[in-house]
């Protein structure tokens, strides 16, 4: 491989190598031209070289070389001449497709040539050997050898082109065309695996497009042309997926379309949406999601009715009938799932996802089953006027299954309608996106729905029914299928029934006192009778009613006017809000555009800097190549001395060689010598093959003679063995005839013995059955007696519990009364004690008052009154160190002052005093001695004797000018006692 300075030289050298049959070397030459990165600018010779390079890659099936060359050519043409890259890619795909078709035609022609009567006559020895060893048929082997390599190369071509054109805004149309051709390839040759990979490749391209938004030449999905191309590609993907019956991939394609619509916030054209919903109906029907299938049909009907102006009345009736029948095919009950929170959340998310795909916007606050349901769909169909467009048979079927009540002959009324409905259907002439609508596909589901409705209505009327009668009422299915349907309905709480095969009946459990359907029938009967009475006796219309309504008419008009004004103001506010949102959106888009422009300018600046750096590196690399040129020439001379070139030139004139080119040239020469050696070996093997064939041709007559001799011997042996077998069969037959005659004599005895055994066993069976019935009756009687005893025991225990409860209540009442009585007695006793204490305190105060008066009389001056309880007692003055006596007035005041604390009796005050008190008069204590107890009298005598001893012969009021005083001890008061 050599690097050429000009593309013309490389192209000329490649053509020379092609002319001598060295296409591999020519491919290497052109590959070096594009991978050397020496040609950064587009030229016309470079384009011609690229076309020749692509042709060589196709001829040699070198997909990797083609991808490398196209990548380098894209870098050259991206900013200069994109149309040249487009032409090269189209030429590449055309050549690959053409060669694949040629290989397929060649394989078919070979298969037709092999289709002869005598296969061994036209086959060569090597073909026979291959067929015996491999076990493959001729077609399989020809496909594997001829067709499969070219199909693989064509698939690699599509992948290469898609990878090169991804995220290229200038070649979006070519990208879409390539994707369409790849889809058609998968569809034509039933390549399901490649189709899945192709869908994943396109899906990854779109994901990368959204992930890396700052790339140059990135397609803008907000542009209408780009969005339309991407949508056309996705819809073609959806069509091919449904035609290949890859339903999982078709559903993922639907998700891709919905995600693309959600990404750009735009709705596709009505024609594309019709295809979208038509494919959704097929997907949901195959997946047995009848509810979503019906919703998809409903959306399809609305689109066709709104946007298809060429829709005929017959096609409209057929589509509307399909919508109604799809809605009726949904089971009238919901599947009961496990009650776990995760399962409910998963079911809610699934319904929300399906509703978004169909086009219904659901709020997350609402339960999904309340929105997407059979009843809401039927109500929507009636509200939208779909029932007025259907055929009469479908309308009658709807009323029979949803409104009428015929429990006995519902199936007989529905069956002829289903027979007529099954005949409708066919291709739609005015709805090209919906190829055909067959109503017969809904007949099995409608038969199952009829069975459920009949069971439901019968359960509301009857409590039990024989299985034979129920089977005659349902002509669609056997009773085993009916039983399976009823079990599923009972499991999902739609019915309440039991099947008793021993008795041959079906029991319906109605737990309510009155059936809802009966209440509905009574209401309907009353309404019908009222209508009939109104028709027979029409009410008289009085003109006065109009007069009664006229006064309120003005008020009604006023209210309506106000409501219209309010609505107008609301509409104006909404318009202003929408305009504000639109302006805000435009402002955000403008800011995004400015930001994107800044990012683009920054990327352009970085690109220029990188190109400058690349030119600098290119200059350095060129200098290195020139320095290596001398070394390459030396290596070339050394190689020419070691290898015999056989008259060929060792180098390429006008080219600059490198070490790598010299090594490759040497390896090429070695490879050529090895190939010559392999050709010689092949020639030798062919010669040996001819010799072996000649040997077998000579041995063929001998093998045939040995075969004929062996055939004669085998025939004689077969005849001999057959004769022996006939004789043995005759002997065996005679022996068996004799045995039969011998056993015929005891046939009557055998029959008599058989009758005796059968009668004895019948009697034994009758006896055992009678004993079993008696035992069951005894068991039932004992269980009944046990239940009676249990009821009596429960009654006795309940009476005993009531008696014990009453006794406990009486005891508690007595205890409460006793506690109340004791509390009252305690309160009375406390009141008496308080009264006695109050009288005692009153008496003590009187005594103290008399004592105070007596002291005043003795001292000649009034003493201080008793201290108030709030005043603290006056502390005594400390004794003077000079005189050991206390003044009499102070001592008397201290003795007479009552304390402000607890009351202290008189006798206790005298007994606790450590000094001598004043000598009281005898008449004072004598007059009051009758009111004191013995203890008080003793304390007074003791006090008087102490007073006399302490007076020392002195008397109050004597001459001498000195007054006798008490001792240093003072009379204790209430405060001192404390």
């Amino acid at each position: 491989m050599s690097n050429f300075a000009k593309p013309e030289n490389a192209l000329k050298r490649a053509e020379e190598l092609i002319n001598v049959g060295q296409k591999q070397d020519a491919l290497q030459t052109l590959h070096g031209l594009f991978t050397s990165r020496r040609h950064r600018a587009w030229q016309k010779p470079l384009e011609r070289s690229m076309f020749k390079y692509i042709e060589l890659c196709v001829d040699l099936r070198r997909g990797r070389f083609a991808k490398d060359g196209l990548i380098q050519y894209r870098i050259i043409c991206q900013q200069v001449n994109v149309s040249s890259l487009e032409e090269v890619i189209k030429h590449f795909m055309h050549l690959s497709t053409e060669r694949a078709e040629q290989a397929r035609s060649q394989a078919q022609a070979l298969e037709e040539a092999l289709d002869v009567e005598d296969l061994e006559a036209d086959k060569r020895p090597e073909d026979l050997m291959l067929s015996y060893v491999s076990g493959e048929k001729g077609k399989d082997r020809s496909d594997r050898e001829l067709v499969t390599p070219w199909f693989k190369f064509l698939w690699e071509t599509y992948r290469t082109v898609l990878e090169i054109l991804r995220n290229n805004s200038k070649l979006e149309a070519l990208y879409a065309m390539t994707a369409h051709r790849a889809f058609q390839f998968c569809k034509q040759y039933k390549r399901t695996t490649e189709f899945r990979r192709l869908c994943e490749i396109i899906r990854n391209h779109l994901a990368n497009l959204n992930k890396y938004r700052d790339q140059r030449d990135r397609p803008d999905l907000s542009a209408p042309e780009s969005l339309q191309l991407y949508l056309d590609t996705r819809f073609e993907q959806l069509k091919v997926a449904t035609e290949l019956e890859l339903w999982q991939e078709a559903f993922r394609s639907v998700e891709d379309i919905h995600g693309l619509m959600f990404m750009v916030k735009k709705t596709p054209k009505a024609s594309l949406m019709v295809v979208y919903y038509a494919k959704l109906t097929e997907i949901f029907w195959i997946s047995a999601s009848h509810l979503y299938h019906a919703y998809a049909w409903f959306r399809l009907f609305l689109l066709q009715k709104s946007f298809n102006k060429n829709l005929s009345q017959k096609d409209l009736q057929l589509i509307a009938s399909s919508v109604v029948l799809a809605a009726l095919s949904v089971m009238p009950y919901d599947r009961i799932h496990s009650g776990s929170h995760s399962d409910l959340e998963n079911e809610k998310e699934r319904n929300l996802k399906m509703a978004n795909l169909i086009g219904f916007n659901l709020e997350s606050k609402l339960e999904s089953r309340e929105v997407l349901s059979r009843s809401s769909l039927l109500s929507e169909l009636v509200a939208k006027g779909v029932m007025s467009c259907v055929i009469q048979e479908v309308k009658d079927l709807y009323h029979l299954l949803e409104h009428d009540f015929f429990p006995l002959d519902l199936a007989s009324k529905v069956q002829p309608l289903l027979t007529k409905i099954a005949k409708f259907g066919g291709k739609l002439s005015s709805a090209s996106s919906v190829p055909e609508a067959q109503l017969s596909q809904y007949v099995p589901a409608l038969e199952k729905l009829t069975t459920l409705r009949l069971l439901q209505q019968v359960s509301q009327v009857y409590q039990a029914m024989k299985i034979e009668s129920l089977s005659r009422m349902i002509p669609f299915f056997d009773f085993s299928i009916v039983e399976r349907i009823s079990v599923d309905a009972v499991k999902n709480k739609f019915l309440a029934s039991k099947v008793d095969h021993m008795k041959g009946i079906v029991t319906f459990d109605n737990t309510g006192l009155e059936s809802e359907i009966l209440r509905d029938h009574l209401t309907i009967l009353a309404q019908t009778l009222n209508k009939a009475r109104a028709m027979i006796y029409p009410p008289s219309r009085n003109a006065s009613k109009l007069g009664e309504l006229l006064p309120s008419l003005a008020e009604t008009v006023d209210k309506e006017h106000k409501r219209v004004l309010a609505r107008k103001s609301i509409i104006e506010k909404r318009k202003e809000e929408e305009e504000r949102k639109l302006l805000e959106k435009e402002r955000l888009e403008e800011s995004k555009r400015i930001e994107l422009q800044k990012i683009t300018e920054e990327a352009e600046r970085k690109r220029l800097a990188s190109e400058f750096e690349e030119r600098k590196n290119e200059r350095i690399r060129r200098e290195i190549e020139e320095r290596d040129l001398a070394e390459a020439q030396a290596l070339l001379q050394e190689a020419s001395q070691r290898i015999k070139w056989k008259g060929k030139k060792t180098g390429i004139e006008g080219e600059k060689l490198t070490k790598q080119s010299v090594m490759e040239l040497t390896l090429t020469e070695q490879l050529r010598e090895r190939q010559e050696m392999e050709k010689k070996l092949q020639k030798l093997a062919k010669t040996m093959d001819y010799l072996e064939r000649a040997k077998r041709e000579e041995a063929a007559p001998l093998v045939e003679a040995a075969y004929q001799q062996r055939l004669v011997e085998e025939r004689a042996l077969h005849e001999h063995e057959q004769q022996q077998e006939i004789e043995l069969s005759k002997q065996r037959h005679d022996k068996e005839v004799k045995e039969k005659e011998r056993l015929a004599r005891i046939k009557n005895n055998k029959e008599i013995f058989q009758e005796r055994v059968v009668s004895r066993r019948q009697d034994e069976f009758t006896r055992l059955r009678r004993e079993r019935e008696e035992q069951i009756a005894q068991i039932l009687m004992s269980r009944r007696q046990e239940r009676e005893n249990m009821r009596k025991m429960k009654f006795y225990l309940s009476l005993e519990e009531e008696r014990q409860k009453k006794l406990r209540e009486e005891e508690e009442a007595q205890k409460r009364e006793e506690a109340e009585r004791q509390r009252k007695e305690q309160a009375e006793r406390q009141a008496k004690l308080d009264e006695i204490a109050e009288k005692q305190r009153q008496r003590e105060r009187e005594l103290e008052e008399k004592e105070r008066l007596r002291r005043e009389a003795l001292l000649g001056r009034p003493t201080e009154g008793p201290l108030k309880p709030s005043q603290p007692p006056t502390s005594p003055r400390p004794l003077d160190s000079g005189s050991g006596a206390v003044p009499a007035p102070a001592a008397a005041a201290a003795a007479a002052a009552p304390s402000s604390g607890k009351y202290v009796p008189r006798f206790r005050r005298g007994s606790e005093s450590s000094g001598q008190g004043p000598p009281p008069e005898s008449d004072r204590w004598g007059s009051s001695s009758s009111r004191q107890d013995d203890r008080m009298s003793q304390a007074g005598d003791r006090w008087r004797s102490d007073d006399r001893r302490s007076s020392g012969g002195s008397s109050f009021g004597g001459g001498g000018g000195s007054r006798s005083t008490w001792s240093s001890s003072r009379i204790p008061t209430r405060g001192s006692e404390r």
Side-chain angles (χ1 to χ4, degrees):
M1 181 179 66
S2 303
N3 294 328
F4 292 90
K6 294 182 180 181
E8 297 89 344
N9 297 335
L11 181 59
K12 183 178 179 181
R13 178 59 181 168
E15 290 176 350
E16 291 175 356
L17 292 174
I18 292 172
N19 292 331
V20 297
Q22 297 183 4
K23 292 184 178 181
Q24 182 68 32
D25 296 339
L27 179 63
Q28 292 286 348
T29 301
L30 294 177
H31 182 69
L33 173 66
F34 291 105
T35 57
S36 62
R37 297 187 180 182
R38 298 181 63 180
H39 307 283
R40 308 297 295 178
W42 180 84
Q43 304 174 25
K44 192 64 176 177
L46 193 64
E47 183 180 9
R48 292 197 301 269
S49 302
M50 190 65 199
F51 274 103
K52 182 61 69 174
Y53 179 74
I54 290 297
E55 292 175 1
L56 289 173
C57 290
V58 173
D59 291 339
L60 298 175
R61 293 202 298 266
R62 296 300 179 90
R64 184 63 184 174
F65 279 72
K67 183 177 181 180
D68 295 340
L70 286 174
I71 290 174
Q72 297 299 326
Y73 194 68
R74 182 191 62 181
I75 296 173
I76 297 172
C77 299
Q78 182 67 34
Q79 303 297 333
V80 181
N81 192 358
V82 182
S83 60
S84 177
L85 177 62
E86 184 177 359
E87 293 297 327
V88 168
I89 291 176
K90 288 182 179 179
H91 184 63
F92 181 35
M93 289 193 294
H94 173 71
L95 288 178
S96 301
T97 307
E98 184 179 1
R99 296 301 296 270
E101 289 294 335
Q102 290 178 0
R104 186 166 176 268
S105 302
Q106 185 179 357
Q108 290 179 354
L110 181 62
E111 180 64 23
E112 292 175 358
L114 291 176
D115 190 10
V116 294
E117 294 181 358
D118 190 2
L119 294 177
E120 297 183 358
D122 294 338
K123 282 190 175 181
R124 296 172 297 176
E126 54 268 22
D127 294 336
L128 287 175
M129 187 178 297
L130 282 174
S131 63
Y132 292 147
V133 172
S134 62
E136 293 180 339
K137 296 182 179 179
K139 184 177 184 306
D140 297 336
R141 190 164 56 253
S142 61
D143 288 345
R144 181 171 57 81
E145 294 176 355
L146 299 176
V147 182
T148 303
W150 282 109
F151 276 6
K152 185 176 181 181
F153 180 75
L154 181 58
W155 166 245
E156 289 293 332
T157 300
Y158 288 134
R159 289 191 59 178
T160 300
V161 173
L162 289 175
E163 185 67 23
I164 290 172
L165 299 179
R166 67 182 181 92
N167 301 340
N168 196 327
S169 60
K170 297 180 180 180
L171 296 174
E172 289 177 343
L174 184 59
Y175 179 85
M177 185 194 72
T178 306
H180 282 254
R181 293 181 65 173
F183 288 142
Q184 293 302 320
F185 164 77
C186 297
K187 173 185 172 183
Q188 182 178 0
Y189 302 111
K190 308 296 181 183
R191 308 304 302 176
T192 56
T193 305
E194 285 76 11
F195 179 76
R196 292 192 185 93
R197 292 173 181 170
L198 179 61
C199 295
E200 193 65 29
I201 288 170
I202 296 177
R203 198 173 290 118
N204 291 334
H205 288 176
L206 182 60
N208 293 331
L209 181 65
N210 295 325
K211 185 176 181 182
Y212 305 105
R213 296 179 178 272
D214 55 347
Q215 291 181 350
R216 290 180 53 200
D217 301 324
R218 174 184 172 274
D220 186 10
L221 292 180
S222 60
E225 296 81 5
S226 301
L227 178 61
Q228 189 62 36
L229 289 173
Y230 274 87
L231 284 177
D232 291 341
T233 304
R234 295 307 187 279
F235 277 102
E236 184 66 22
Q237 173 182 332
L238 177 59
K239 290 179 183 178
V240 175
T242 53
E243 291 176 2
L244 292 176
E245 297 183 355
L246 299 175
W247 304 111
Q248 185 69 25
E249 199 61 41
F251 183 75
R252 295 187 67 185
S253 301
V254 169
E255 289 181 334
D256 293 341
I257 295 173
H258 183 267
L260 192 59
M261 293 161 53
F262 181 77
M263 187 188 306
V264 298
K265 305 297 182 183
K266 292 181 181 179
T267 305
K269 297 178 181 179
S271 59
L272 294 179
M273 293 305 297
V274 168
V275 177
Y276 177 81
Y277 286 115
K279 299 305 178 182
L280 267 183
T281 56
E282 297 181 21
I283 294 171
F284 287 141
W285 182 256
I286 293 297
S287 63
S289 301
H290 293 170
L291 179 61
Y292 304 135
H293 170 77
Y295 269 104
W297 260 116
F298 180 48
R299 296 289 294 180
L300 182 60
F301 169 79
L302 294 179
L303 280 173
Q304 289 285 356
K305 188 177 180 182
S306 301
F307 297 100
N308 194 351
K309 304 302 181 182
N310 300 325
L311 190 66
S312 62
Q313 185 65 26
K314 182 179 178 181
D315 294 344
L316 182 63
Q317 282 187 349
L318 195 57
I319 295 175
S321 302
S322 299
V323 174
V324 176
L325 292 180
L328 290 176
S329 300
V330 183
M331 289 294 101
Y333 53 82
D334 295 333
R335 296 286 179 182
I336 298 178
H337 302 279
S338 61
S340 62
H341 180 70
S342 60
D343 292 342
L344 294 177
E345 288 296 326
N346 293 334
E347 182 68 18
K348 184 176 180 181
E349 291 179 1
R350 178 176 178 270
N351 290 336
L352 182 62
K353 181 180 179 180
M354 293 298 177
N356 288 332
L357 290 179
I358 297 172
F360 288 81
N361 294 324
L362 298 182
E363 297 180 3
S364 59
K365 296 181 180 179
L366 297 176
E367 291 291 337
S368 57
R369 64 183 64 182
E370 295 177 359
V371 179
L372 286 181
S373 63
R374 183 177 185 271
S375 58
S376 62
L377 177 59
L378 291 175
S379 302
E380 191 73 15
L381 294 181
V382 175
K384 295 291 184 180
V386 181
M387 299 302 300
S388 61
C389 301
V390 301
I391 59 179
Q392 186 62 34
E393 288 80 3
V394 175
K395 191 179 297 184
D396 296 340
L397 180 65
Y398 170 75
H399 288 291
L400 280 174
L401 294 178
E402 297 300 324
H403 299 293
D404 296 339
F405 186 78
F406 298 104
L408 296 179
D409 53 353
L410 178 63
S412 61
K413 290 179 180 296
V414 170
Q415 190 173 13
L417 295 177
L418 293 180
T419 305
K420 294 180 181 179
I421 288 172
K423 298 178 182 179
F424 287 96
K427 295 183 178 180
L428 303 179
S429 59
S430 58
S432 59
S433 300
V434 186
E436 60 180 358
Q438 296 293 338
L439 303 185
S440 58
Q441 64 178 349
Y442 301 108
V443 171
L446 293 174
E447 290 177 350
K448 186 176 180 181
L449 176 66
T450 305
T451 304
L452 285 172
R453 289 300 186 195
L454 190 144
L455 292 174
Q456 184 186 21
Q457 294 178 7
V458 167
S459 67
Q460 294 168 357
V461 178
Y462 298 96
Q463 291 184 351
M465 178 176 285
K466 291 185 178 180
I467 293 177
E468 294 81 2
S469 302
L470 189 61
S471 300
R472 287 195 299 271
M473 291 168 60
I474 304 175
F476 308 120
F477 308 110
D478 296 336
F479 184 74
S480 59
I481 302 177
V482 175
E483 184 178 5
R484 192 181 305 119
I485 294 173
S486 63
V487 166
D488 189 60
V490 170
K491 178 182 177 182
N492 293 280
K493 298 183 180 180
F494 182 72
L495 290 176
S497 63
K498 297 179 182 179
V499 180
D500 191 346
H501 289 282
M502 294 183 65
K503 297 180 180 180
I505 61 173
V506 179
T507 306
F508 302 101
D509 297 334
N510 293 325
T511 57
L513 297 177
E514 183 180 3
S515 178
E516 294 182 0
I517 192 65
L518 292 179
R519 289 201 298 270
D520 294 341
H521 271 282
L522 292 177
T523 305
I524 294 171
L525 178 62
Q527 293 175 357
T528 308
L529 290 176
N530 286 331
K531 291 179 181 178
R533 184 178 61 80
M535 294 174 64
I536 296 171
Y537 303 104
S540 59
R541 297 181 178 179
N542 298 327
S544 60
K545 292 184 177 180
L546 182 60
E548 294 176 357
L549 295 176
L550 285 177
S552 62
L553 185 60
E555 184 180 355
T556 305
V557 172
D558 190 16
K559 289 182 179 178
E560 186 67 20
H561 179 64
K562 292 180 179 178
R563 188 182 64 82
V564 171
L565 291 178
R567 184 171 178 272
K568 183 178 179 182
S569 63
I570 292 172
I571 291 173
E572 292 296 333
K573 290 181 180 178
R574 288 181 179 175
K575 287 183 178 179
E576 293 176 359
E577 184 66 21
E578 290 295 332
E579 291 177 357
R580 187 185 62 78
K581 290 182 179 179
L582 185 61
L583 292 175
E584 184 67 20
K585 184 178 180 181
E586 291 178 355
R587 186 181 62 79
L588 291 176
E589 290 179 354
E590 183 65 22
S591 62
K592 289 181 180 178
R593 188 186 63 79
I594 294 172
E595 184 178 357
L596 183 61
Q597 184 178 0
K598 292 180 180 178
I599 294 173
T600 306
E601 292 176 355
E602 182 67 21
E604 184 68 20
R605 194 181 76 256
K606 291 181 179 178
R607 185 184 65 83
L608 294 175
S610 63
E611 289 182 355
F612 176 76
E613 189 68 23
E614 287 179 0
R615 286 195 296 269
K616 181 179 179 181
N617 294 335
E618 184 70 21
R619 181 176 55 80
I620 296 172
R621 188 178 62 81
R622 193 179 300 113
E623 293 176 357
I624 295 174
E625 289 178 355
E626 291 174 357
R627 187 172 61 250
D628 293 341
L629 181 60
E631 298 179 4
Q633 292 292 341
L635 289 174
L636 183 60
Q637 292 178 1
E638 184 180 355
S640 62
Q641 295 175 0
R642 289 189 289 104
I643 300 175
K644 297 180 180 179
W645 299 99
K646 295 184 179 180
K648 290 187 178 181
K649 295 181 180 180
T650 57
I652 301 175
E653 296 180 357
E655 297 294 336
K656 292 184 179 180
L657 299 180
T658 60
K659 295 179 182 179
Q660 186 68 21
S661 62
V662 173
M663 293 174 64
E664 289 183 359
L665 187 61
T666 306
L667 291 175
T668 303
E669 186 64 24
Q670 292 177 359
L671 181 62
R672 185 184 60 79
E673 293 178 358
R674 192 181 299 112
Q675 289 177 353
E676 290 179 357
M677 183 61 67
E678 289 177 356
K679 289 180 181 179
K680 291 180 181 180
L681 292 176
Q682 290 177 359
K683 186 175 181 181
L684 180 61
K686 192 173 182 180
T687 304
M688 294 179 67
D689 190 11
Y690 289 159
L691 292 175
E692 184 65 24
R693 184 174 60 180
K695 290 179 182 178
R696 294 193 180 189
E697 288 178 355
E698 291 295 330
L702 301 177
V703 173
E704 181 66 24
Y707 171 72
Q708 294 296 335
Q709 183 181 358
R710 181 67 179 273
L711 189 62
V712 172
E713 294 175 357
E714 292 290 341
R715 186 179 292 110
L717 179 62
H718 173 69
E719 291 176 356
H720 178 67
E721 291 180 353
Q722 189 175 8
Q723 187 65 30
Q724 289 182 354
E725 183 65 26
I726 291 172
E727 292 177 359
L728 290 175
S729 298
K730 288 181 179 180
Q731 295 176 4
R732 197 182 304 113
H733 176 70
D734 295 339
K735 183 178 180 181
E736 289 177 354
V737 168
K738 292 179 182 179
E739 184 69 18
K740 180 181 178 182
E741 292 175 354
R742 186 180 68 81
L743 294 176
R745 292 177 295 175
I746 64 174
K747 182 177 181 182
N748 295 329
N749 296 331
K750 187 267 294 184
E751 293 177 352
I752 294 170
F753 177 75
Q754 182 179 358
E755 291 177 357
R756 188 184 306 143
V757 172
V758 170
S759 62
R760 185 174 67 252
R761 291 183 179 178
Q762 182 67 30
D763 295 340
E764 181 69 19
F765 172 73
T766 305
R767 181 181 61 80
L768 292 175
R769 184 175 61 182
R770 185 170 57 254
E771 291 178 357
R772 183 174 178 273
E773 292 176 353
E774 292 177 357
Q775 185 179 4
I776 291 173
Q778 292 177 0
I779 292 172
L780 293 175
M781 182 63 69
S782 62
R783 289 181 180 177
R784 191 179 298 109
Q785 186 66 28
E786 289 177 0
R787 288 196 297 272
E788 186 67 25
N789 294 336
M790 184 61 67
R791 285 195 295 270
K792 289 181 180 180
M793 179 61 68
K794 290 181 179 178
F795 179 72
Y796 172 74
L797 291 175
S798 62
L799 291 179
E800 184 65 22
E801 288 178 357
E802 291 179 359
R803 189 180 64 81
Q804 293 292 339
K805 184 177 180 180
K806 288 182 179 179
L807 290 176
R808 286 195 298 270
E809 291 177 354
E810 291 177 358
E811 291 178 358
E812 291 177 357
Q814 290 178 0
K815 289 181 180 180
R816 285 195 299 272
E817 292 176 356
E818 182 66 21
E820 184 67 22
R821 186 182 59 79
Q822 292 179 359
R823 187 180 61 77
K824 289 181 179 179
E825 291 178 355
Q826 183 69 22
E828 292 176 356
R829 186 181 300 109
Q830 186 66 30
K832 290 180 180 180
L833 291 175
D834 293 341
E835 185 180 357
I836 292 171
E838 183 63 28
K839 289 181 180 180
Q840 183 68 22
R841 285 194 295 272
Q842 184 66 26
R843 188 180 300 112
E844 290 296 330
R845 284 194 295 271
E846 291 176 357
L847 292 175
E848 288 176 358
E849 182 65 22
K850 289 181 180 181
E851 179 66 20
R852 186 181 62 80
L853 295 175
R854 187 184 66 80
R855 288 178 180 175
E856 288 179 355
L858 291 175
L859 296 175
R861 59 178 179 179
T863 60
E864 296 180 0
L867 294 175
K868 295 181 181 180
S870 60
Q871 294 178 356
T874 305
S875 59
R877 181 179 296 177
L879 295 176
D880 193 359
S881 59
S883 63
V886 180
S899 69
S900 61
K902 187 172 73 171
Y903 170 74
V904 181
R906 192 74 173 175
F907 66 91
R908 190 169 294 176
R909 296 178 197 168
S911 62
E912 290 179 356
S913 62
S914 59
Q916 295 180 357
E921 294 182 357
S922 61
D923 59 329
R924 167 72 181 86
W925 291 103
S927 63
S928 61
S929 60
S930 61
R931 292 190 299 270
Q932 304 292 332
D933 54 2
D934 296 337
R935 190 172 52 187
M936 185 73 74
S937 300
Q938 294 174 3
D941 294 339
R942 215 171 28 249
W943 188 12
R944 285 192 293 270
S945 62
D946 292 338
D947 291 341
R948 285 194 298 269
R949 282 193 301 268
S950 61
S951 61
S954 62
S955 61
F956 294 98
S962 64
R963 292 181 299 175
S964 63
T965 60
W966 291 356
S967 64
S968 61
S969 63
R970 59 187 178 87
I971 298 173
T973 62
R974 294 177 185 176
S976 63
E977 183 182 311
R978 289 180 188 171

